[in-house]
Amino acid sequence: MHQRHRHRHRHHLLGLGSLLNLLPVVLYPNQCAVPTSIRKSTATMATEPKPKPPVAKKVEHVMEMFGDVRIDSYYWLRDDSRTDPELLSYLKQENAYTDSVMSGGKKFEDELFAEIRGRVKEDDVSAPVRKGEYYYYKRTLQGKEYVQHCRRLIPNAAEAPPSVYDTMPTGPDAPEEHVILDENVKAQAHDYYVVAAFKVSPNNKLVAYTEDTKGDEIYTAYVIDAQTGAPVGNPLLGLTSYLEWAGDDSLVYITMDEILRPDKAWLHKLGAEQSRDSCLYHEKDDTFSLDLQASESKRFLFVASESKNTRFNFCLDVSKLEDGLKVLTPRLDGIDTSVSHRGDHFFFRRRSDECFNSEIVACPLDDTSATTVLLPHRESVKIQDMQLFKDHLVIYEREEGLPKVTIYGLPDAGEPLKSLQSGHIVDFIDPIYSVEPLESLFSSSILRFDYSSMKTPPSVYDYDMKAGISVLKKIEAVLGGFDASNYVTERKWASAPDGTQIPLSIVYHKDLVKLDGSDPLLLYGYGSYEVCIDPSFKAARLSLLDRGFIYAIAHIRGGGEMGRQWYENGKFLKKKNTFTDFIACAEYLIENKYCSKEKLCIIGRSAGGLLIGAVLNMRPDLFKAAVAGVPFVDVLTTMLDPTIPLTTSEWEEWGDPRKEEFYFYMKSYSPVDNVKAQNYPDILVTAGLNDPRVMYSEPAKFVAKLRDLKTDDNLLLFKCEFGAGHSSKSGRFEKLQEDAFTYGFIMKALNMIPDVGNGEN
């Protein structure tokens, strides 16, 4: 299931690069404790004037509701056109101030970047995916920011059934590599370049892809001949990244309304003008958004409309496009279904208030009301996702905070379906880890998944579901002498104020930490949208771990790690559990000698930036330094304004502050509304000028108000990327540069930057 979240990175930002990366973000810390700057000779310090931070002008903007008056002196910083010269000048002053403050550590930051980049195998290929008579894969090139999308013919494809032992031939006698699309060439004319969807037609003759050249997540779709690269028809404008083939000569795509809510599904015939496309469905309820997926069997496309609490589905039979969309599951408040297809049946993952962790049901194609429960609801196991094959059903589950993959055999396609018994579980090697489904071949018995842990680099496995054998197809190369056995990963549990046990994932270098309270520690958190921040690998993070840092993830409520109720207990009028859980995790780490207050740094992005802003206001004494990336910090004002992207669709996440109870609850934690005259730790805040998920003005206001009210002389830096959106810059090395900058800030706060004058460390 795909969902728009205020973060996504998709990896994971979690990685700064899943949400992506979504998913989990970046991390770091180390030794000593002096609030600012690097150690320098007293002579230098005496002659070097300290740069003065910019001061944003104040323009009184009065907001009143329920008899409550709020004055926002920095409301003027919001300019939806992003063209106001005074605003842009102020943002540039903030960037210049940040550069000036960080300039003393620039040499160290450059060394850090070289070190981080030095771990990357720059020329590489992904694990090839088999489709028809071709292997498809991505290639990266030495020194290049972006990927090439490539394919090669499979020798004797018809006589060679898929096997976990398949290897793509690459020698001089192998079929020639063909580059379908080189993103490096396309990106030359742009500061920002992202290809989101890249879809090969069923007959392998055409490719449709979507590109974003600003970071605003408004895409243009192109269709090209896969062999010659020649364009087919005119580009499709103003799309989301949802795009699927409906046969070999039609596409289905989704567009957005003026608040960037995916609201219309369209059918496009190749060669026709976009103005002639037929609208398959228009979702008029502004709390709902559309998404689009193809069944693994490729026989159906599914358009779903979902709010944060409800999801219903339509299907399009690819062989009968003239029939249009048909209702598959009805719109019932509080019922959330996602769907797929195999043989004579539709399969549904269905969640309701009673079945809060979901159940799996199936029904005949011609009678969607005749459902059979295949896997019943379980209170301790959450069903997260399902993947169908000709003879198998794969269930992605969560239990005790960890993902599980369970495989069930299915009867022959014409046979009746009944309750599934005794699935077998895929075994994993680490105590804490992350596992994600990857594209697999429906007609085969080979499951492909991506596995990693905090010490195991991303690894693509093919799993033979009949034989129970796993074969490693690709592991991300980590250069520079990386040895996984040097690192220790742990799962610990902190007690929240209400007694709930909060899981923590921890990693450190076994020979470099003392575990006596003196080690630097970077604590990451997210805790919204039911997103699971599973412990995964990030090569850049080694630059912290190899300097004696401990890195930890707090799996706080509001996320989905411990099941649906974990999320329910960290949203709406229970949102503050997210913040107090994080504080409890920080206190646990201090009490158990992983660090001290003087060595504890925290980081979060997007809704995780809301977390950082909230805990800074609540417990500024607890942390040495904080990084808030593209933070959602002006919660109350944003959620009162339905013209801002994501607001209407997120009343079911945060609550609707047009109702008095939610208004005052949100006001009590919204970071901008709770900045006060007190001492704060060192803080770095980032923004993207074109960010459609968190407007740049939210972090800008937060920084301006902090500058005005805080009573300390600690660092407060603001960095606004002019050529980026929510996921920061688009190039792979540009992202690593941001990691180096962030790590450099954290180490500056911890006084860990080596003295450039005498070589002293």
Side-chain angles (χ1 to χ4, degrees), residues 310-321:
T310 302
R311 179 182 167 94
F312 60 100
N313 301 270
F314 304 88
C315 69
L316 179 69
D317 187 329
V318 171
S319 65
K320 299 176 185 171
L321 296 180

Side-chain angles (χ1 to χ4, degrees), residues 27 44 57 144 179 190 241 274 276 303 316 372 376-377 394 409 429 435 464 473 572 677 684 713:
L27 337 297
T44 317
K57 72 173 182 183
K144 299 289 189 182
V179 178
H190 307 286
S241 60
Q274 188 174 359
R276 305 289 301 276
V303 173
L316 179 69
T372 301
H377 172 258
V394 179
I429 50 177
V435 59
D464 185 325
K473 306 304 288 186
F572 282 152
L684 168 64
D713 289 324

Side-chain angles (χ1 to χ4, degrees), residues 47 218 232 353 418 448 679 723:
T47 58
I218 300 171
V232 178
D353 288 345
K418 46 187 187 291
R448 175 166 285 191
N679 286 355

Side-chain angles (χ1 to χ4, degrees), residues 604-677:
R605 286 181 53 98
S606 196
L610 157 62
L611 164 72
I612 299 300
V615 302
L616 282 173
N617 285 330
M618 294 163 73
R619 287 296 306 278
D621 61 297
L622 198 53
F623 314 109
K624 176 62 185 162
V627 179
V630 291
F632 175 45
V633 280
D634 200 12
V635 181
L636 184 53
T637 300
T638 292
M639 295 309 296
L640 281 167
D641 188 343
T643 69
I644 294 178
L646 291 185
T647 291
T648 57
S649 62
E650 296 200 350
W651 282 328
E652 284 190 8
E653 175 75 24
W654 315 101
D656 183 351
R658 298 175 303 178
K659 298 170 183 162
E660 186 170 358
E661 183 179 26
F662 284 111
Y663 174 92
F664 284 105
Y665 187 77
M666 270 187 210
K667 187 187 175 189
S668 73
Y669 71 75
S670 175
V672 165
D673 290 288
N674 288 277
V675 172
K676 44 183 148 337

Side-chain angles (χ1 to χ4, degrees), residues 259-516:
I259 56 168
L260 307 186
R261 176 182 67 92
D263 71 325
K264 287 178 183 167
W266 301 84
L267 178 64
H268 171 74
K269 298 284 282 183
L270 291 192
E273 290 302 315
Q274 188 174 359
S275 58
R276 305 289 301 276
D277 292 352
S278 57
C279 184
L280 297 170
Y281 179 67
H282 180 198
E283 179 52 79
K284 294 173 181 169
D285 184 332
D286 64 8
T287 63
F288 280 74
S289 299
L290 300 185
D291 65 49
L292 169 69
Q293 292 171 72
S295 66
E296 291 92 343
S297 66
K298 306 303 183 198
R299 181 174 160 187
F300 293 94
L301 297 183
F302 301 113
V303 173
S305 181
E306 68 173 2
S307 70
K308 292 288 181 280
N309 197 38
T310 302
R311 179 182 167 94
F312 60 100
N313 301 270
F314 304 88
C315 69
L316 179 69
D317 187 329
V318 171
S319 65
K320 299 176 185 171
L321 296 180
E322 65 279 2
D323 290 355
L325 288 186
K326 294 192 169 174
V327 176
L328 251 192
T329 57
R331 181 181 192 135
L332 295 169
D333 187 50
I335 307 293
D336 175 326
T337 53
S338 55
V339 60
S340 196
H341 159 261
R342 175 259 191 189
D344 301 329
H345 291 85
F346 290 120
F347 288 66
F348 301 96
R349 183 199 55 75
R350 184 167 67 191
R351 183 189 57 72
S352 62
D353 288 345
E354 300 76 43
C355 299
F356 52 83
N357 274 335
S358 299
E359 60 184 347
I360 301 290
V361 301
C363 69
L365 297 184
D366 55 4
D367 187 0
T368 53
S369 60
T371 56
T372 301
V373 175
L374 302 182
L375 283 176
H377 172 258
R378 291 157 291 171
E379 289 204 3
S380 62
V381 181
K382 171 183 166 184
I383 296 173
Q384 186 128 338
D385 211 347
M386 63 178 174
Q387 193 171 359
L388 273 162
F389 293 80
K390 185 171 68 71
D391 298 317
H392 297 88
L393 171 64
V394 179
I395 302 295
Y396 287 81
E397 303 172 313
R398 303 193 68 81
E399 189 169 20
E400 285 295 302
L402 288 174
K404 286 194 336 186
V405 180
T406 307
I407 297 167
Y408 296 89
L410 293 173
D412 290 343
E415 299 295 313
L417 287 171
K418 46 187 187 291
S419 179
L420 297 173
Q421 307 295 328
S422 62
H424 71 268
I425 295 171
V426 180
D427 291 324
F428 299 113
I429 50 177
D430 295 288
I432 52 174
Y433 54 86
S434 172
V435 59
E436 300 282 347
L438 292 175
E439 183 177 358
S440 302
L441 199 58
F442 173 77
S443 60
S444 75
S445 59
I446 300 168
L447 168 69
R448 175 166 285 191
F449 57 82
D450 185 43
Y451 173 86
S452 84
S453 76
M454 293 164 101
K455 66 175 197 172
T456 306
S459 309
V460 175
Y461 282 93
D462 278 351
Y463 183 83
D464 185 325
M465 294 184 282
K466 288 182 174 167
I469 295 169
S470 280
V471 176
L472 178 65
K473 306 304 288 186
K474 172 80 183 172
I475 185 165
E476 180 184 297
V478 182
L479 308 182
F482 168 74
D483 179 353
S485 66
N486 286 330
Y487 303 91
V488 175
T489 61
E490 298 176 345
R491 168 58 50 93
K492 298 294 182 183
W493 301 82
S495 287
D498 63 4
T500 302
Q501 295 298 293
I502 313 299
L504 279 153
S505 297
I506 300 171
V507 63
Y508 53 84
H509 190 300
K510 63 182 173 54
D511 300 326
L512 297 179
V513 299
K514 305 180 197 67
L515 300 179
D516 61 358

